Amino acid sequence: MNTPIENIRQELQMLGNAETAAASRRFFKETIETYGVKNAEVHRLAKAHFKDMSDKSKANILALCEHLWQSGYMEEALIACDWSFFVRKQFEPVDFEIFEKWIDCYVSNWAACDTFCNHTVGAFIERYPAFLDRLKNWALSPNRWLRRAAAVSLIIPAKEGRFLPEILEIAGILLRDRDDLVQKGYGWMLKEATKLHREAVFNFVMHHKAEMPRTALRYAIEKMPAAMKKAAMEKAH
């Protein structure tokens, strides 16, 4: 009898398409390994195979996720992201170390970073907000993916109006980051925070716009009214 991962890999190989693989690679500056399966199909497979699993304990699922991450394939990483999110109600504080390791060791592109952090890590932080301080440590990491993760893990809480002081603090730590993917990550976080805290985010941007990379600034003000955008984009004197 095949293991769940062997079954997944067989299906991915059957569904893989060279044209889809080539199209996927064009989205990334980094080299990615891919079977060439569209994301919607990958998420469908993740749900179907999870449903068929007899052992849905967190320990088993996270162990399977570890193997999927280790493969280096985009589709397997996305399945690991889905499966870890499916067991979010079983999360315990000790799981943070596992999630941190996956980002540090296995994440190698923005799609895997965002999918994992928006959902799995975001759900963990909402359950255990004491770990917000650990995200601040990520923002100081030499690993660009941990730095981006510090911001994009708060995308969904930001939309809900949660954790504004920590969001602004993390944006402050990342403020002058030279990596464009980190700039886009914290700009995105600020943009989502404007939904319920527009004035606070605008004040942050206005206070820091002289030193804030334009990439991050444009992301942050994207949903603001025209007058605010104009004020934010004017060169500081």
Side-chain angles (χ1 to χ4, degrees):
M1 184 181 291
N2 288 345
T3 66
I5 290 179
E6 286 171 337
N7 289 333
I8 283 271
R9 287 176 177 159
Q10 285 176 7
E11 286 201 56
L12 288 171
Q13 286 165 358
M14 286 189 293
L15 291 166
N17 177 285
E19 287 182 14
T20 303
S24 295
R25 291 189 183 101
R26 286 196 288 271
F27 279 100
F28 303 95
K29 293 178 183 177
E30 304 80 25
T31 300
I32 65 160
E33 295 289 341
T34 177
Y35 292 95
V37 182
K38 291 182 177 177
N39 284 357
E41 195 69 9
V42 174
H43 293 306
R44 183 195 65 78
L45 276 180
K47 287 179 183 176
H49 282 270
F50 184 82
K51 185 178 178 182
D52 289 342
M53 260 187 262
S54 55
D55 183 358
K56 293 184 175 67
S57 68
K58 184 194 65 177
N60 183 54
I61 297 303
L62 295 189
L64 293 172
C65 290
E66 177 89 22
H67 287 292
L68 290 166
W69 278 113
Q70 287 171 351
S71 77
Y73 274 84
M74 172 66 75
E75 292 88 348
E76 295 192 34
L78 293 181
I79 290 167
C81 292
D82 281 354
W83 283 1
S84 58
F85 182 65
F86 292 164
V87 295
R88 61 193 179 279
K89 291 181 180 176
Q90 300 179 50
F91 286 168
E92 301 168 275
V94 292
D95 299 325
F96 189 86
E97 306 295 337
I98 297 170
F99 301 155
E100 184 175 65
K101 174 197 166 186
W102 289 352
I103 300 167
D104 198 28
C105 296
Y106 305 135
V107 167
S108 59
N109 61 75
W110 59 262
C113 183
D114 295 0
T115 305
F116 181 59
C117 293
N118 284 182
H119 303 292
T120 297
V121 181
F124 178 91
I125 292 295
E126 293 208 83
R127 190 176 178 94
Y128 299 109
F131 281 82
L132 284 160
D133 283 343
R134 297 289 290 273
L135 295 190
K136 296 171 194 174
N137 291 340
W138 289 4
L140 297 166
S141 171
N143 183 330
R144 71 190 303 198
W145 303 118
L146 278 168
R147 298 201 309 279
R148 182 176 171 101
V152 299
S153 294
L154 296 178
I155 294 297
I156 291 173
K159 287 180 183 178
E160 297 168 349
R162 300 189 68 184
F163 308 141
L164 181 67
E166 291 82 8
I167 285 167
L168 296 180
E169 187 174 348
I170 287 169
I173 295 169
L174 298 172
L175 190 68
R176 300 183 195 89
D177 202 291
R178 294 184 175 184
D179 191 309
D180 70 317
L181 288 174
V182 178
Q183 294 169 14
K184 290 173 182 176
Y186 88 76
W188 180 21
M189 173 183 68
L190 289 172
K191 175 176 69 176
E192 298 305 339
T194 64
K195 183 176 179 182
L196 293 171
H197 297 291
R198 182 195 292 163
E199 289 292 333
V201 175
F202 178 70
N203 291 339
F204 177 91
V205 169
M206 292 300 290
H207 185 70
H208 294 290
K209 69 175 185 174
E211 53 192 333
M212 196 174 187
R214 301 299 268 185
T215 297
L217 190 149
R218 287 191 186 97
Y219 268 73
I221 65 174
E222 190 177 310
K223 294 184 178 179
M224 290 184 184
M228 284 183 164
K229 286 183 182 179
K230 183 180 178 184
M233 292 299 290
E234 286 174 354
K235 294 284 187 183
H237 298 294

